[in-house]
Amino acid sequence: MSNKILLTVLISMTLGSSICYSQQKKQSYDINNLFNQNKLIKAYPRQTTTSLTDGSKQGLSLDGILWLKDVDFKTGIIDVDLRGRDVFQQSFLGIAFHGIDTTTHDVVYFRPFNFQATDTLRRKHAVQYMSSPDFPWDKLRKEHPLVYENEVNPAQQATAWFHARIVVGADDIVVYVDHADKPSLKVKKLNNRHNGLIGLWSSGLPGDFANLVISQ
């Protein structure tokens, strides 16, 4: 191999390594500080957001959606600590991503009131993936029962903090709870969007969020 060819190979390897590293960049977000600096965007004017400090958890309690300003999410891993409420059909919280606006985005969210339900079917409605507006949760449940939702593993207390790891690939989405080796949910993506807004998502009663880390 000539010196010229060898140099070309080395440059290509170096560039490839740099690209790989940049694609796996990890960023921690102090969401409380970002909110105070107006670096989070409210999706709905009337939604409420308050600062939250609970031991090691310093974050936000909110309803609605808070988009991260100037963050374009493609594929990668989203780590976040969450806490909901033990009120039937009133506590839903998770992460919205690949968003265009308030009506067009994907969501992975949890129903904490179902985490330890005595009814087996209710427990299987604990973690959900949906893609608005074309694939809302009720349409998915009717047409594809127990495909886009499942029980959480390990089971959590409804009012306790829990950790969620959401792995968004080009074609599928995998959700892990509390650092488990086995996923609680693994599904195929339901649209062709490859990037977009990412934010904290809560519906019904306010949900609690802390320790947001995004690797992409």
Side-chain angles (χ1 to χ4, degrees), residues 79-112:
D79 285 285
V80 66
D81 290 331
L82 304 163
R83 182 175 61 180
R85 307 288 187 266
D86 190 12
V87 182
F88 184 62
Q89 298 288 32
Q90 294 190 50
S91 181
F92 311 87
L93 74 166
I95 296 292
F97 56 94
H98 291 175
I100 296 176
D101 51 32
T102 57
T103 60
T104 306
H105 52 266
D106 285 11
V107 184
V108 168
Y109 72 93
F110 298 85
R111 303 182 181 101

Side-chain angles (χ1 to χ4, degrees), residues 22-115:
S22 66
Q23 289 176 338
Q24 297 177 5
K25 183 178 179 181
K26 179 184 289 188
Q27 177 69 51
S28 298
Y29 293 90
D30 185 336
I31 54 176
N32 198 325
N33 192 42
L34 290 177
F35 179 70
N36 292 330
Q37 294 178 359
N38 294 318
K39 293 185 178 180
L40 297 175
I41 306 169
K42 285 185 177 182
Y44 309 100
R46 295 185 179 182
Q47 69 186 62
T48 59
T49 305
T50 57
S51 296
L52 170 70
T53 299
D54 181 20
S56 63
K57 306 292 192 298
Q58 296 188 20
L60 295 171
S61 183
L62 65 102
D63 59 2
I65 306 173
L66 275 182
W67 299 115
L68 275 68
K69 188 181 291 187
D70 300 325
V71 178
D72 181 44
F73 179 76
K74 299 177 178 66
T75 59
I77 302 171
I78 306 155
D79 285 285
V80 66
D81 290 331
L82 304 163
R83 182 175 61 180
R85 307 288 187 266
D86 190 12
V87 182
F88 184 62
Q89 298 288 32
Q90 294 190 50
S91 181
F92 311 87
L93 74 166
I95 296 292
F97 56 94
H98 291 175
I100 296 176
D101 51 32
T102 57
T103 60
T104 306
H105 52 266
D106 285 11
V107 184
V108 168
Y109 72 93
F110 298 85
R111 303 182 181 101
F113 52 84
N114 283 338
F115 283 176

Side-chain angles (χ1 to χ4, degrees), residues 138-201:
D138 49 350
K139 178 180 180 179
L140 293 174
R141 183 177 293 179
K142 180 180 179 180
E143 298 180 359
H144 309 279
L146 300 180
V147 173
Y148 294 95
E149 57 186 336
N150 198 17
E151 61 186 310
V152 295
N153 178 35
Q156 306 295 310
Q157 295 290 333
T159 57
W161 284 100
F162 64 97
H163 182 81
R165 167 165 284 197
I166 302 168
V167 183
V168 179
D171 301 308
D172 54 19
I173 297 163
V174 187
V175 183
Y176 299 88
V177 173
D178 272 358
H179 310 285
D181 293 329
K182 181 181 178 181
S184 292
L185 186 68
K186 185 175 183 180
V187 294
K188 291 293 184 182
K189 278 186 59 186
L190 290 170
N191 60 73
N192 295 322
R193 294 191 304 275
H194 301 295
N195 66 295
L197 296 166
I198 182 170
L200 313 175
W201 183 97

